[in-house]
Amino acid sequence: MSIAQTTKSTAQLHCINCGATPASAAQDFRCTNCGDLLEFVFPEWSHDPQALKSLWANRKTILKPLDQSGVWRFREMLPGIAEEHAITLREGNTPLYDLPRCAHFAGLDALQAKHQGMNPTASFKDTGMTVAASSAHAGGFRWVACASTGNTSASMAAYAARGNMHSLVLIPEGKISWGKLSQSLDYGALTCQLRTDFDGCVGILNELVRRKPVYLLNSVNPYRIEGQKTAAIELMEQLEWEPPDHIIIPGGNLGNSSAIGKALLEMRDLKLISRLPKLSIIQAQGANPFYRSVTEFGGKKLDPMTADTQATAIQIGNPASWKKALRVLNATGGAVEEVSELEIAEAKAEIGADGIGCEPASAVTLAGLKKLTRKGFVKRSETVILILTGHLLKDPDFTIKFHRGDLFTGTPYEQQAAQTARLQRAPVVLDADLDAVVAALDQAESRNS
Ligand code: F0G
């Protein structure tokens, strides 16, 4: 039985550029006519929105793994995959948190974050990976592969292991965090650290899939995008189907913004929601090709660049899905913004201080929101959701260096870094002496009062 049993499995591949509708995808998931990206469309969809909402709500009470998954629970909006091929770690089901301190920081009355770092491998990638890895399994592949800044590879390695497939990881040497590298090792991937950057890894992988029968699991794979859509569906359910005014998301390879935006448009078309939130995309200043594409070239072209940021997850200079992201940016009326290394570090510490925390790439959302509020694009009383993409523990190095005051040592930001000192909480090393601890406590209390 197909997973999408209540649909007639009407998913159709469609080229975003020339409109070709191939029956199946090539190894590199590019259109064989024009080389552009493919997406799934659902021409025969005719769902009753109220019936869908109750079906999805009811599944939460059912103990079957696929109904417990925060991705497969929404399978009517996914391409059909035969149930015996589904690989799930009960992904999705991520919390929506109030961030009162961050709201104040950004100049808003209230602020919420959907924490996609609360997924099984601690990043949003799991929501797309469960669908795409299942499709690899259905296709009978022995090997799956990806190029990654660390989170995709961690997620892919886990799902491949669960599905008894081998995984090949291409990562840029010295440019991903230890937390992420350790995950792909433990989940048993063949991990190749290439002496290049992420974009260089993508280039090699694109060649490799033409030579070897490996299944490509980067976000050019449209199954990834379909799975990642469910974060937006789940978010709307958590908001009782009342859309927020704004959703703010980090932009790297731009698959996630494309996915969230696609879900919003589809939910609007299916009348699951009555209006579209504005979807805004934030990039690090040192890895801002999409920001420049929109602000300098009106979205007409994208100039690849050599990316440089300590938010290593989004250190990407040639984002594959930029045209898809541009489409949803325009369709929802969102903004694009860039933020500096200092702004990222400051915003990350603020999110931590709200008792939530995230990895640096996720913190660009709060830093960008602050700028958008200052510019008047976001109003004080509007409802805003940040998408936090990765867990705090993904990159402990960054966090410890920040709190010790070492993060910007030897960088162009060394002088300005003093402005983040108020947020730093370096560990205090003391003798094993009660009076010393009491003195430290009194000192901290006097600082706080
Ligand atoms: N946030 C985190 C934590 C990420 O790992 C990524 C991307 C992004 C944001 C950006 O998402 O690429 O869809 O625009 N990480 C990829 C990886 C590229 O290989 O793990 P995007």
Side-chain angles (χ1 to χ4, degrees):
M1 181 174 35
S2 163
I3 289 173
Q5 49 193 285
T6 56
T7 69
K8 281 168 261 135
S9 223
T10 53
Q12 165 73 63
L13 286 167
H14 171 259
C15 171
I16 62 164
N17 177 48
C18 73
T21 54
S24 62
Q27 291 271 106
D28 63 357
F29 288 102
R30 298 237 166 219
C31 174
T32 46
N33 273 346
C34 73
D36 220 319
L37 295 186
L38 301 176
E39 65 177 349
F40 278 111
V41 291
F42 301 86
E44 288 170 44
W45 256 353
S46 59
H47 294 299
D48 168 356
Q50 286 315 323
L52 274 185
K53 287 177 190 178
S54 13
L55 178 67
W56 294 338
N58 285 340
R59 282 194 183 134
K60 283 199 227 177
T61 62
I62 298 172
L63 295 178
K64 270 176 59 181
L66 287 184
D67 290 332
Q68 290 290 304
S69 160
V71 171
W72 295 108
R73 193 156 68 78
F74 302 107
R75 51 192 173 264
E76 285 68 25
M77 290 185 73
L78 301 176
I81 290 178
E83 191 160 343
E84 66 267 26
H85 294 295
I87 308 165
T88 177
L89 286 162
R90 323 292 187 274
E91 50 292 312
N93 299 313
T94 57
L96 189 61
Y97 292 127
D98 286 329
L99 300 183
R101 188 186 158 116
C102 293
H104 180 73
F105 171 78
L108 296 177
D109 292 338
L111 177 61
Q112 289 185 301
K114 181 158 176 67
H115 205 326
Q116 294 292 92
M118 300 299 182
N119 267 291
T121 76
S123 86
F124 71 99
K125 305 288 182 181
D126 296 341
T127 56
M129 203 54 75
T130 181
V131 179
S134 301
S135 104
H137 196 270
F141 282 86
R142 233 175 104 68
W143 280 88
V144 294
C146 73
S148 181
T149 55
N151 279 326
T152 300
S153 45
S155 180
M156 178 188 76
Y159 282 86
R162 300 294 299 169
N164 287 317
M165 296 180 288
H166 299 285
S167 61
L168 167 68
V169 162
L170 301 186
I171 44 173
E173 198 213 357
K175 297 191 177 81
I176 80 163
S177 71
W178 293 124
K180 300 171 191 177
L181 176 62
S182 62
Q183 284 181 290
S184 79
L185 302 181
D186 231 34
Y187 301 139
L190 166 59
T191 304
C192 299
Q193 297 180 279
L194 304 189
R195 293 188 199 92
T196 178
D197 55 12
F198 168 80
D199 302 291
C201 292
V202 170
I204 302 274
L205 185 61
N206 284 338
E207 298 289 315
L208 181 80
V209 294
R210 288 192 200 107
R211 260 223 238 155
K212 288 286 194 185
V214 296
Y215 185 85
L216 182 67
L217 278 176
N218 275 86
S219 56
V220 295
N221 181 326
Y223 286 97
R224 286 267 316 273
I225 303 293
E226 292 304 304
Q228 285 174 213
K229 283 189 330 193
T230 58
I233 308 172
E234 186 178 82
L235 171 64
M236 293 306 143
E237 186 185 56
Q238 286 167 312
L239 295 171
E240 297 180 356
W241 303 101
E242 184 53 51
D245 297 310
H246 298 272
I247 297 178
I248 318 276
I249 189 160
N253 214 15
L254 297 169
N256 204 30
S257 24
S258 306
I260 301 290
K262 186 171 191 282
L264 295 174
L265 296 171
E266 289 176 356
M267 282 190 281
R268 197 256 328 253
D269 292 349
L270 285 170
K271 303 199 166 39
L272 288 161
I273 54 174
S274 55
R275 64 189 173 89
L276 287 175
K278 293 188 173 77
L279 181 69
S280 292
I281 301 173
I282 319 294
Q283 295 206 294
Q285 223 160 48
N288 64 353
F290 186 64
Y291 172 81
R292 287 190 298 110
S293 166
V294 174
T295 56
E296 290 173 26
F297 310 121
K300 298 251 173 343
K301 65 165 185 164
L302 182 128
D303 250 357
M305 65 187 289
T306 302
D308 183 20
T309 169
Q310 295 205 64
T312 52
I314 50 173
Q315 191 169 333
I316 294 173
N318 189 12
S321 294
W322 73 274
K323 286 185 195 163
K324 288 185 178 179
L326 183 68
R327 195 174 57 181
V328 298
L329 190 79
N330 290 337
T332 67
V336 57
E337 191 50 89
E338 61 170 358
V339 292
S340 72
E341 296 294 290
L342 276 178
E343 288 168 328
I344 295 171
E346 185 184 36
K348 187 176 116 52
E350 292 285 354
I351 295 166
D354 247 330
I356 303 297
C358 63
E359 68 165 282
S362 310
V364 300
T365 53
L366 179 63
L369 171 62
K370 186 171 185 168
K371 286 183 130 173
L372 293 176
T373 311
R374 282 214 182 119
K375 288 180 176 174
F377 182 78
V378 177
K379 313 274 182 312
R380 169 170 277 281
S381 60
E382 285 186 311
T383 47
V384 183
I385 309 289
L386 305 182
I387 305 290
L388 300 181
T389 44
H391 198 279
L392 169 68
L393 293 177
K394 284 280 191 177
D395 193 353
D397 256 16
F398 182 109
T399 308
I400 292 168
K401 280 189 188 150
F402 174 81
H403 288 286
R404 288 198 167 135
D406 297 338
L407 188 62
F408 295 109
T409 310
T411 76
Y413 308 100
E414 196 160 351
Q415 297 302 319
Q416 298 157 274
Q419 73 193 51
T420 61
R422 71 187 164 82
L423 290 159
Q424 286 163 14
R425 300 282 178 271
V428 189
V429 181
L430 302 170
D431 286 333
D433 174 66
L434 175 62
D435 288 340
V437 177
V438 168
L441 186 64
D442 289 344
Q443 208 184 356
E445 177 58 26
S446 67
R447 261 204 315 268
N448 289 339
S449 52

